[in-house]
Amino acid sequence: MTDVSTCPPLTRQSVREAHDRIRPYIHRTPVATCETINILASTPQAERCPSSGPNAAAETAPHDHNRTDNAGRYTARPNVKLFFKCENQQRIGAFKARGAFHALGRLIEADGLESVKKKGVVTHSSGYILMQQAGNHAQALALAAKTHGVPAHIVMPSISTPSKIAGTKSHGANVIFSGSTSDEREAVVAEVIKNTGATLVPPYDHPDIILGQGTQALELEEQVEAMLEDDPALGISGRKRLDAVIVPIGGGGMLSGICTALHGTGIRVFGAEPRFEGANDAEQGLKLGKRIEKVKTLTIADGLRTPVGEIPWSVITDKTKLAGIYSVTEEQIKAALKLAMERAKLFIEPSAAVPLAVMLYNEDFREMVEQEAGHEGWNVGIILSGGNTTVEAIAKLFAAPEKEEERAAAKVTTNGESVAENVAG
Amino acid sequence: MTDVSTCPPLTRQSVREAHDRIRPYIHRTPVATCETINILASTPQAERCPSSGPNAAAETAPHDHNRTDNAGRYTARPNVKLFFKCENQQRIGAFKARGAFHALGRLIEADGLESVKKKGVVTHSSGYILMQQAGNHAQALALAAKTHGVPAHIVMPSISTPSKIAGTKSHGANVIFSGSTSDEREAVVAEVIKNTGATLVPPYDHPDIILGQGTQALELEEQVEAMLEDDPALGISGRKRLDAVIVPIGGGGMLSGICTALHGTGIRVFGAEPRFEGANDAEQGLKLGKRIEKVKTLTIADGLRTPVGEIPWSVITDKTKLAGIYSVTEEQIKAALKLAMERAKLFIEPSAAVPLAVMLYNEDFREMVEQEAGHEGWNVGIILSGGNTTVEAIAKLFAAPEKEEERAAAKVTTNGESVAENVAG
């Protein structure tokens, strides 16, 4: 990875330059809208009738857990129209392609292609075994490396599922097995670097990655303006552009990138986080005024299990850049996932459903939008960050209730780390 | 429904006029492409390595059942690029909105809005209980009727699932229950007509429906040309337009509409049918030279369980309009469904996966394309007809193997008709 001291500053202009750099290699992913979900999002939770639609179960998803004790109480009526940025249709099926192509492109600019080809690049799977995020980043790096003819080394726990290993191998990467703890993996990475001179490309905590991930916001901004120009009925009456964007946050590469991309535009940026077992480390950290460095959660949003990284933290604590972080429960994530698939017909991974879950079910967020947006309403961008799951994983998530107990029972402990059956494996 | 004798002729020009009529009410659905699926479709089945990708199970889906006895034999290498017409993102989640809006629009033109408002319209759920196709048509008619302020009566078996009934009700339709046999349903429809004067709008066997369903082909044709103009790399080198389209066939409204729309353009139209329990009635009928009038199948492609209708039959037996029909097994449909979701990230119902299954797994079709298209190759349109399924239905389809036996065991017999647990319910 390029030395941090030589990186471009974290500014909107740098994101523009990153976009120019990666444009030939990535998809300009489509933006989708869905009438039914707009109506649901603009209806108070207490007024969503369980029998009023074909997806009764999803539409009566549990309210915020602090608030279910008060049936029939007032619930907010925000006026919103949603624009889904379909990064599930990005290359390798997730936004991670942006950061990987940008980081490798910058490395090649800095060191020269021949040097990078000689040394190669390396990354590893992160904290939890079989975690989706590292899988996406590893696949993205493998693709970027193959595109430029650069050797890529991917360090993975030896008990990774065959399909995930095959996915990375298919882009020509050299897969190296390690033990399952982070110490064991880091030792193998160090060995690869020692033997080959390969450069480590981390998944989120680096300016080149952050700038690459931010590029999707520039596209979304332009695409929404063009869509509203063509058909004003897609948006909130009289408003010609986005008012806000909701972005998933795990390690924070994407959220800090989008905060950077939209800084100064007046478009508010919100983070969306799972809450299960303390996965909402960024939300809690902002409250405490201190970054939480360790997280141990098995949320179904498996791309968001990581604590926020140092550089992303320095961006999201800037109140002129981030407007707030809101979290949701596992059931709310499942309900949003179900709606995205069944109503918008978009196949996404659980992590990608978290922003929609905040919009539909987090009552604090909804009250804030009702107050800030008023009658006029907001056009809200929803980042669908990836679609790398399988029909079998979806089957496990939505199997009959008795099956879920089996799933919970399938947790085992290996090498002192908690290991879950990979719901997105 | 307008009297058949007063309908426009089944010509490309009539489809154009139908398109002008319905354009304000329907979505111009997007067209998607997927590099990974293009590569798979252009790779001989025998060379698709089980461990070469993250979806090994899908990529090693069973070959045509007549041919699996000969491992290692030659399999065809057609050169194709695919263009997915996303009618799963059409209003009500399926192409049926086109036919319903067109049929009602023509009725209003013929009889006057006031008369139609006074009498209303009626339709019913078809042959098998809980069948997806009738559900889609009923919902489409309910939406079209609501749009024009026309009362709609939907006759449904009393054991329909609550969610399906709610879906139809949500468009303001008057849902009337009947027994589950077709005789019982037809008696209730006759009673509704007698009491209200409502006009019956059948799901496929009428020129107004056929012309409406054909409109998607005009869009696809234009969209592919525009996409290839923007980015020639999306298509087969040197070819600026579609060479062929593959279309699901159940009752045949859509297939005959698309045959009509593309007649004289040089774009070949193929039908794609499930084979399970004789669901391939159109393929068999073409071989016998005689329309098969009864079909009793529980194929997972539940929108395609119907025998082809009389008027559609008169179109598809014209060899200048239809180039052929090919069928696929249940496992091939599941494998294509899995690929469409996991790789193209498109949420579709099983019926919509049948054309992709033909492209990927029907060796007769693939040999024909290899011979006809040669080295040059074809740009092939794939109609994704709808996305009205649920995550729970997907869970049942892809649950662990032992669960499938339970599903098969769940078949029961009621009122002399075979009833399956509704996989898309």
Side-chain angles (χ1 to χ4, degrees):
Chain A
M1 207 70 174
T2 60
D3 188 89
V4 172
S5 65
T6 69
C7 286
L10 292 177
T11 63
R12 181 164 162 90
Q13 180 56 29
S14 297
V15 179
R16 284 208 192 95
E17 287 162 16
H19 202 213
D20 291 341
R21 210 171 264 126
I22 67 176
R23 199 178 279 118
Y25 306 112
I26 60 159
H27 292 324
R28 186 177 173 94
T29 53
V31 173
T33 62
C34 177
E35 287 172 28
T36 309
I37 296 181
N38 283 341
I39 292 169
L40 274 176
S42 302
T43 302
Q45 294 197 69
E47 291 177 24
R48 291 181 206 161
C49 173
S51 63
S52 71
N55 299 295
E59 288 163 22
T60 55
H63 298 186
D64 190 293
H65 68 66
N66 295 318
R67 296 164 174 279
T68 45
D69 50 346
N70 196 358
R73 73 181 189 85
Y74 177 79
T75 53
R77 187 189 296 275
N79 180 21
V80 292
K81 300 262 191 172
L82 310 184
F83 295 84
F84 297 101
K85 179 64 172 165
C86 296
E87 286 291 295
N88 62 328
Q89 294 184 27
Q90 187 49 268
R91 295 190 74 187
I92 71 103
F95 73 96
K96 293 274 178 180
R98 296 176 184 268
F101 270 105
H102 186 244
L104 187 60
R106 284 259 310 130
L107 186 64
I108 289 169
E109 280 175 25
D111 294 358
L113 180 59
E114 285 317 304
S115 164
V116 178
K117 274 189 174 178
K118 207 169 131 190
K119 295 177 175 173
V121 290
V122 60
T123 196
H124 54 74
S125 184
S126 53
Y128 291 100
I129 290 161
L130 306 183
M131 185 172 150
Q132 189 64 31
Q133 181 177 357
N136 283 346
H137 171 66
Q139 287 193 42
L141 184 64
L143 174 65
K146 188 182 74 170
T147 304
H148 290 287
V150 169
H153 309 281
I154 309 293
V155 177
M156 282 191 166
S158 56
I159 64 162
S160 287
T161 53
S163 72
K164 182 143 296 184
I165 296 166
T168 306
K169 271 188 178 161
S170 73
H171 296 300
N174 174 34
V175 176
I176 303 159
F177 298 108
S178 75
S180 58
T181 67
S182 52
D183 284 353
E184 288 170 297
R185 275 180 293 110
E186 279 166 26
V188 175
V189 169
E191 206 183 304
V192 170
I193 293 172
K194 193 177 144 203
N195 293 342
T196 64
T199 306
L200 177 65
V201 180
Y204 49 84
D205 204 1
H206 193 283
D208 288 342
I209 296 285
I210 291 169
L211 292 170
Q213 316 302 28
T215 57
Q216 62 193 293
L218 302 182
E219 293 175 16
L220 176 63
E221 194 185 355
E222 281 177 19
Q223 287 168 309
V224 170
E225 286 177 24
M227 287 167 81
L228 292 176
E229 187 68 38
D230 277 0
D231 183 358
L234 291 174
I236 289 292
S237 171
R239 301 190 75 84
K240 294 287 189 194
R241 61 195 292 265
L242 276 180
D243 297 289
V245 179
I246 315 178
V247 185
I249 170 161
M254 176 164 53
L255 179 60
S256 59
I258 291 178
C259 284
T260 303
L262 299 180
H263 191 216
T265 62
I267 301 171
R268 297 153 193 84
V269 180
F270 297 96
E273 212 170 22
R275 190 183 298 154
F276 185 62
E277 296 180 340
N280 57 335
D281 62 284
E283 184 185 42
Q284 293 300 324
L286 286 184
K287 279 180 191 153
L288 297 170
K290 184 176 180 306
R291 186 171 76 96
I292 293 174
E293 294 177 26
K294 287 207 190 261
V295 174
K296 200 155 177 173
T297 170
L298 291 170
T299 171
I300 56 169
D302 58 351
L304 309 179
R305 290 177 182 171
T306 334
V308 60
E310 283 183 52
I311 301 173
W313 177 254
S314 73
V315 174
I316 68 172
T317 45
D318 179 340
K319 285 181 182 169
T320 70
K321 292 182 178 166
L322 180 76
I325 293 186
Y326 294 84
S327 65
V328 283
T329 67
E330 301 292 284
E331 286 307 307
Q332 290 168 339
I333 296 168
K334 277 179 67 175
L337 182 67
K338 183 173 159 70
L339 278 172
M341 292 205 188
E342 295 181 358
R343 307 314 299 253
K345 318 296 179 187
L346 300 165
F347 191 77
I348 59 173
E349 59 193 57
S351 303
V354 175
L356 179 59
V358 165
M359 181 71 251
L360 288 168
Y361 308 119
N362 185 305
E363 198 53 32
D364 289 337
F365 182 79
R366 295 173 58 79
E367 282 174 13
M368 179 276 297
V369 176
E370 188 186 36
Q371 283 170 22
E372 299 246 328
H375 281 301
E376 206 172 44
W378 275 359
N379 293 319
V380 180
I382 303 281
I383 303 289
L384 299 181
S385 49
N388 285 334
T389 185
T390 63
V391 290
E392 290 81 7
I394 297 300
K396 278 182 198 164
L397 272 182
F398 292 96
E402 65 275 10
K403 298 297 291 177
E404 291 192 1
E405 285 161 30
E406 285 172 38
R407 194 164 66 85
K411 290 183 189 179
V412 294
T413 297
T414 311
N415 288 323
E417 282 193 32
S418 187
V419 180
E421 194 181 1
N422 179 21
V423 294
Chain B
M1 207 68 175
T2 59
D3 189 87
V4 173
S5 66
T6 70
C7 286
L10 292 177
T11 63
R12 180 164 162 90
Q13 180 56 28
S14 298
V15 180
R16 284 208 193 95
E17 288 161 15
H19 202 215
D20 291 340
R21 210 172 264 123
I22 67 176
R23 199 178 281 116
Y25 306 111
I26 60 159
H27 293 322
R28 186 178 174 94
T29 53
V31 173
T33 61
C34 177
E35 288 172 28
T36 308
I37 297 181
N38 283 342
I39 293 169
L40 274 176
S42 302
T43 301
Q45 295 197 68
E47 291 178 23
R48 292 183 205 157
C49 173
S51 63
S52 71
N55 299 296
E59 288 164 21
T60 55
H63 299 184
D64 188 295
H65 68 67
N66 295 317
R67 295 164 176 281
T68 45
D69 49 346
N70 195 357
R73 72 182 190 85
Y74 178 78
T75 52
R77 186 190 297 275
N79 180 22
V80 291
K81 300 262 191 172
L82 310 184
F83 294 85
F84 297 101
K85 179 64 172 164
C86 297
E87 286 291 295
N88 62 329
Q89 294 184 26
Q90 187 50 269
R91 296 189 73 187
I92 71 102
F95 72 97
K96 294 273 178 182
R98 297 176 183 269
F101 270 105
H102 186 244
L104 187 60
R106 284 259 311 129
L107 186 64
I108 289 169
E109 279 175 25
D111 294 359
L113 181 59
E114 285 317 305
S115 165
V116 177
K117 274 189 173 176
K118 207 169 130 191
K119 293 176 176 175
V121 290
V122 60
T123 196
H124 53 74
S125 185
S126 54
Y128 290 100
I129 290 163
L130 305 182
M131 185 171 149
Q132 189 65 32
Q133 181 174 358
N136 283 345
H137 172 64
Q139 289 193 41
L141 185 65
L143 174 65
K146 187 182 77 171
T147 304
H148 291 288
V150 169
H153 309 282
I154 309 294
V155 178
M156 280 189 168
S158 56
I159 65 163
S160 286
T161 53
S163 73
K164 182 142 295 181
I165 296 166
T168 307
K169 272 188 178 160
S170 73
H171 295 302
N174 174 33
V175 176
I176 303 158
F177 297 108
S178 75
S180 59
T181 66
S182 53
D183 283 353
E184 287 171 298
R185 274 181 292 110
E186 279 166 26
V188 175
V189 168
E191 208 183 303
V192 170
I193 293 172
K194 194 178 143 203
N195 293 341
T196 64
T199 305
L200 178 66
V201 180
Y204 50 83
D205 205 1
H206 193 282
D208 289 341
I209 296 286
I210 291 168
L211 292 170
Q213 316 302 28
T215 58
Q216 62 193 291
L218 302 182
E219 293 175 15
L220 176 63
E221 194 186 353
E222 281 177 20
Q223 288 168 309
V224 170
E225 286 177 26
M227 288 166 80
L228 292 175
E229 187 67 37
D230 278 359
D231 184 359
L234 291 173
I236 288 291
S237 170
R239 302 190 74 84
K240 294 287 188 192
R241 61 196 293 265
L242 277 180
D243 297 288
V245 180
I246 316 178
V247 185
I249 171 163
M254 175 164 54
L255 179 59
S256 59
I258 290 178
C259 284
T260 304
L262 298 180
H263 191 214
T265 62
I267 301 171
R268 297 153 192 85
V269 180
F270 297 96
E273 214 171 20
R275 190 183 296 152
F276 186 61
E277 294 179 341
N280 57 335
D281 62 285
E283 183 185 43
Q284 293 300 324
L286 286 183
K287 279 180 192 153
L288 298 168
K290 186 176 177 308
R291 184 171 78 94
I292 292 173
E293 294 177 26
K294 288 207 190 262
V295 174
K296 201 156 177 173
T297 170
L298 291 170
T299 170
I300 57 170
D302 58 351
L304 309 179
R305 289 175 182 172
T306 335
V308 60
E310 284 183 50
I311 301 174
W313 178 254
S314 73
V315 174
I316 68 172
T317 46
D318 180 339
K319 285 181 182 168
T320 70
K321 292 182 178 165
L322 181 76
I325 293 185
Y326 294 84
S327 65
V328 282
T329 66
E330 300 293 282
E331 285 307 306
Q332 289 168 340
I333 296 168
K334 277 179 66 175
L337 181 68
K338 183 174 159 70
L339 278 172
M341 293 206 188
E342 294 181 358
R343 306 314 299 251
K345 318 297 180 188
L346 300 165
F347 191 77
I348 59 172
E349 59 194 57
S351 302
V354 175
L356 179 59
V358 166
M359 182 71 250
L360 289 168
Y361 307 120
N362 184 304
E363 198 54 33
D364 289 337
F365 182 79
R366 295 174 57 80
E367 282 174 13
M368 179 276 297
V369 175
E370 187 186 37
Q371 283 169 22
E372 300 246 328
H375 280 302
E376 205 172 45
W378 275 359
N379 294 319
V380 180
I382 303 281
I383 303 290
L384 299 181
S385 48
N388 286 333
T389 185
T390 64
V391 289
E392 290 81 7
I394 296 301
K396 279 183 196 161
L397 272 182
F398 292 97
E402 64 277 9
K403 299 297 290 177
E404 289 192 3
E405 284 161 31
E406 285 172 37
R407 194 165 66 86
K411 290 182 189 179
V412 292
T413 299
T414 311
N415 290 325
E417 284 194 30
S418 187
V419 180
E421 194 182 1
N422 180 21
V423 294

